[in-house]
């Protein structure tokens, strides 16, 4: 399965896909699979969505790339759509989520330096995942991901997730803290949602201490939780929010949005990206936002999420599952076992279903927003069946 000419960085399942349409992908042997993973929260609109396909084909026939030395109409168009839907002031475009988080980290450090802070430090959370570049890997709270890549960078302090008192004490003790970087829902950390009081309390702590409140919405953005951004479930805005994954529906693009004092930190020459915000990626992003908003897909995400959770609960009992986590179509199913459940991915593949596991014993579902009710029921039924089969083998 692993081609000898490809660097061995991924543990791959024994399948190669040849094409996809809607909620289904097809392998090179003609087998079909219902996709409950969406390329890890990337293809929210499903595969080969006609609006995205038309947008990138038309753009590819016109202008694929031009340097950021010049004006880019498609970039301007996407920036206007993103700032309007988010309530933020401006955008920096990158190629990926990690690069979007790098931009946020640089904003925080420059903001701190301009305030005269000696060692600008960002408060981050245990079990977080912010990317695999050196800065975002340091911000990530996963020792397995960091192993072997030391020395990591200075300028990060880590506290337990969903522990507002711990964050408050850290800020009181460390005058170098200039920003808080947090995921509204920790995806890789077990699909753990931030508590309402915790996320809102962090906003208040940042206001009281003149800190930047920065949200990593790489996975939760673009409709995944049932609002365009997860913070829109609340009555406040962050100073910085990053997103990627679903923004291009498969075309690589990331964005770092800023508001107020954070929006003026980066100036010409202080940051950049060769490919970031090129016309092709921005065309895909425009089509994604237009489709999500015109089809009211955020409402559909909430309905589908509730339907799948209800169906899972009808198939599984508390002897098999201890907890359901997440928001919208970001669903974590915590199995009642201490054993790692990675084998479920292959078992699901054999049943014609794509899903993922994380944090050892959490089955993760990230299906596309365009599922029919019947497809949602099938996702729940097949997922429950493989969970029951996996747990039965462990008894």
């Amino acid at each position: 399965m692993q081609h000898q000419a490809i660097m061995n960085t991924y543990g791959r399942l024994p399948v190669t896909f040849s094409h996809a349409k809607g909620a289904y992908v097809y392998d090179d042997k003609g087998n079909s699979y219902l996709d409950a993973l969406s390329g890890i929260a990337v293809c929210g609109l499903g595969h080969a969505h006609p609006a995205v396909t038309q947008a990138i084909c038309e753009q590819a026939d016109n202008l694929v790339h031009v340097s950021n030395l010049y004006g880019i109409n498609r970039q301007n168009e996407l920036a206007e759509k993103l700032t309007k839907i988010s309530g933020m002031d401006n955008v920096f475009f990158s190629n990926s989520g990690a690069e979007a988080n790098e931009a946020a980290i640089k904003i925080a450090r420059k903001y701190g330096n301009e305030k005269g802070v000696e060692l600008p430090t960002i408060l981050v959370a245990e079990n977080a995942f912010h990317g695999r570049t050196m800065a975002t890997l340091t911000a990530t709270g996963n020792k397995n991901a960091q192993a072997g890549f030391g020395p990591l960078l200075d300028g990060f302090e880590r506290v337990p997730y969903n522990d507002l008192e711990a964050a408050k004490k850290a800020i009181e003790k460390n005058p170098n803290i200039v920003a808080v970087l947090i995921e509204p829902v920790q995806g890789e950390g077990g699909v753990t949602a931030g508590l309402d009081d915790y996320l809102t309390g962090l906003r208040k702590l940042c206001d009281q201490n003149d800190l930047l409140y920065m949200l990593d919405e790489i996975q939760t953005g673009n409709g995944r939780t049932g609002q365009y951004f997860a913070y829109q479930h609340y009555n406040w805005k962050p100073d910085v929010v990053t997103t990627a994954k679903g923004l291009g529906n498969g075309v690589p693009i990331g964005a770092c949005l800023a508001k107020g004092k954070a929006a003026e930190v980066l100036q010409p020459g202080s940051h950049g990206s060769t490919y970031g915000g090129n016309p092709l990626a921005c065309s895909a992003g425009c089509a994604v936002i237009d489709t999500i908003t015109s089809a009211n897909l955020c409402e559909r995400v909430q309905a589908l999420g509730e339907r799948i959770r209800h169906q899972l609960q009808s198939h599984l009992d508390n002897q098999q599952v201890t907890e359901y986590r997440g928001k919208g179509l970001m669903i974590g199913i915590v199995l009642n076992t201490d054993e790692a459940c990675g084998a479920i991915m292959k078992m699901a593949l054999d049943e014609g279903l794509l899903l993922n596991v994380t944090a050892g014993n959490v089955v993760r579902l990230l299906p596309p927003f365009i599922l029919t009710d019947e497809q949602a029921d099938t996702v729940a039924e097949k997922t429950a069946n493989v969970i029951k089969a996996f747990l039965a083998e462990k008894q």
Side-chain angles (χ1 to χ4, degrees), residues 60 92 105 120 135 156 188 210 213 274 292 311 332 337 343 363 384:
F92 172 81
I105 290 167
F156 296 92
E188 295 293 326
D210 195 25
Y213 192 18
T274 296
I292 288 175
Q311 290 291 323
T337 177
V363 176

Side-chain angles (χ1 to χ4, degrees), residues 129-143:
F129 185 87
H130 296 297
R132 296 184 186 275
T133 62
M134 283 311 302
T136 58
L137 182 65
T138 306
T140 289
N142 184 324
K143 292 183 178 179

Side-chain angles (χ1 to χ4, degrees), residues 51 55 72-91 93 222 228-229 231-232 241 243 247 253 255 257 279 281-294:
I72 302 174
N73 286 334
R74 280 296 191 189
Q75 187 178 114
N76 296 340
E77 183 182 349
L78 180 57
E80 288 176 3
K81 290 179 186 294
L82 272 173
T83 52
K84 181 179 179 181
I85 203 168
S86 67
M88 306 297 281
D89 290 340
N90 57 21
V91 188
F93 287 112
N222 308 293
Y228 197 86
F229 287 101
Y231 68 81
Q232 292 170 329
V241 61
T243 191
L247 180 56
I253 184 172
L257 295 90
C282 289
S283 293
C286 288
V288 167
I289 292 177
D290 289 347
T291 302
I292 288 175
T293 54
S294 65

